[in-house]
């Protein structure tokens, strides 16, 4: 199954302060909307 990936927004990743582009995996397309999940974990709390 081929994954559709879009890039949208910026977020500091890789333990650094520099912001990088966020990659999103498109899970579902419906009309003019998409359900997406980020490709990499962006943030977490203990």
């Amino acid at each position: 199954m081929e994954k559709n990936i879009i890039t949208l927004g910026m977020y500091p990743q890789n333990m650094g302060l520099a912001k990088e582009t966020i990659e999103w995996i498109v899970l579902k397309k419906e009309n003019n909307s998409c359900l997406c999940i980020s490709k990499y974990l962006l943030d977490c709390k203990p």
Side-chain angles (χ1 to χ4, degrees):
M1 181 173 135
E2 182 181 323
K3 293 181 183 177
N4 291 325
I5 296 177
I6 60 173
T7 56
L8 179 66
M10 303 285 282
Y11 194 84
Q13 300 176 44
N14 298 322
M15 303 291 289
L17 298 176
K19 293 182 179 179
E20 298 179 37
T21 304
I22 303 170
E23 293 183 65
W24 299 92
I25 299 170
V26 178
L27 301 176
K28 182 179 179 181
K29 294 180 186 179
E30 187 173 292
N31 298 324
N32 291 329
S33 299
C34 292
L35 174 63
C36 302
I37 188 169
S38 61
K39 187 174 180 182
Y40 303 108
L41 180 66
L42 298 177
D43 204 349
C44 66
K45 293 183 180 184

